[in-house]
Amino acid sequence: MKRAQEKGLLEVHVHHLRQWAVNEYGQVDDYQYGGGAGMVMMCEPLAKAIEALSADRQYDEIIYLTPDGETLNQKISNTLSLKQTLLLICGHYKGIDERIREHFVTREISIGDYVLSGGELAAAVLVDSIGRLLPGVLNDETSALFDSFQDNLLAPPVYTRPEDFRGWKVPAILMSGDHKKIEEWRHEQSLQRTQERRPDLPDQL
Ligand code: 6GU
């Protein structure tokens, strides 16, 4: 992602919510109505932040990173990689006031069924997974075309030198030079792997 930014393919701007705090103490959260443990991020700092940032850029999506959002997958990353400008909101504590979700947020994304202490790592994951799909970020060798999940298939096993390591040999087919057979073998391995490890993925054929 650093190289992508240096090449001008991607810009990431981080904004600190305390810039839009409600008082001189930098307050951006408060107790929740109805009682209960945990602080909630207040409407005013978030609304002001979103409005101030929207004056400089037209956002295609305003995404709130939250464990109760839609679980991130390759299809979502592919879709988001086609957008020009995204605003990612990282929550903390118990989350953000529901009214911000209703009136500003256009999409809510989780990175999996576990809880993080804040949305920042989730945002970093999302930026990486989108960023690597942008034209020019990956070279031919690392091309995203053959990634696991790109067709709802896991990637096949890979090998490099030596051909024999401690008596553990590389499958003979890979040494055959028969590219058509090799591609067939790889596809078969992908199918097998997907069936064994991820029978929950939508059908491949
Ligand atoms: Cl997006 N945020 C937090 N705090 N925890 C998470 C998450 C997001 N996705 C999975 N766990």
Side-chain angles (χ1 to χ4, degrees):
M1 288 314 108
K2 182 172 174 223
R3 257 173 284 127
Q5 289 180 76
E6 285 165 358
K7 285 200 245 169
L9 302 170
L10 166 74
E11 286 181 34
V12 179
H13 304 269
V14 179
H15 308 278
H16 295 282
L17 193 63
R18 287 197 204 281
Q19 280 181 256
W20 295 281
V22 294
N23 57 32
E24 63 199 284
Y25 307 108
Q27 187 181 352
V28 294
D29 60 353
D30 209 337
Y31 299 100
Q32 56 178 317
Y33 279 126
M39 305 295 274
V40 173
M41 289 171 61
M42 303 169 78
C43 283
E44 188 185 308
L46 285 164
K48 279 188 169 159
I50 294 165
E51 283 163 354
L53 296 170
S54 298
D56 297 340
R57 287 183 186 80
Q58 168 89 279
Y59 292 102
D60 296 315
E61 300 274 3
I62 298 181
I63 300 172
Y64 174 42
L65 283 312
T66 176
D68 60 357
E70 185 183 6
T71 308
L72 183 62
N73 58 34
Q74 191 61 45
K75 183 155 178 251
I76 296 173
S77 294
N78 290 348
T79 301
L80 292 176
S81 75
L82 300 173
K83 312 261 176 179
Q84 202 59 237
T85 311
L86 306 173
L87 178 60
L88 307 183
I89 301 175
C90 305
H92 253 245
Y93 321 111
K94 281 278 160 198
I96 69 175
D97 191 296
E98 187 67 19
R99 292 167 288 185
I100 296 296
R101 301 172 72 161
E102 285 172 12
H103 297 286
F104 291 101
V105 170
T106 60
R107 193 153 191 174
E108 302 189 326
I109 294 177
S110 161
I111 63 162
D113 294 339
Y114 43 83
V115 179
L116 303 169
S117 52
E120 292 84 357
L121 284 172
V125 166
L126 184 60
V127 167
D128 187 279
S129 104
I130 293 169
R132 63 189 293 285
L133 298 172
L134 301 178
V137 172
L138 298 186
N139 54 36
D140 278 354
E141 283 167 51
T142 51
S143 163
L145 286 176
F146 303 108
D147 287 343
S148 278
F149 301 115
Q150 210 49 269
D151 317 293
N152 272 333
L153 274 181
L154 300 183
V158 292
Y159 299 86
T160 186
R161 294 188 303 169
E163 193 176 334
D164 182 330
F165 177 69
R166 302 181 179 173
W168 306 331
K169 298 197 178 54
V170 172
I173 182 78
L174 295 176
M175 315 304 294
S176 69
D178 184 337
H179 295 293
K180 187 156 175 284
K181 279 259 157 58
I182 290 171
E183 279 323 298
E184 282 168 15
W185 179 86
R186 285 180 170 154
H187 186 63
E188 192 48 47
Q189 292 287 314
S190 280
L191 287 171
Q192 258 185 45
R193 225 164 231 216
T194 307
Q195 229 145 61
E196 278 171 27
R197 300 180 182 203
R198 295 298 308 275
D200 59 301
L201 286 178
D203 250 338
Q204 303 90 36
L205 304 170

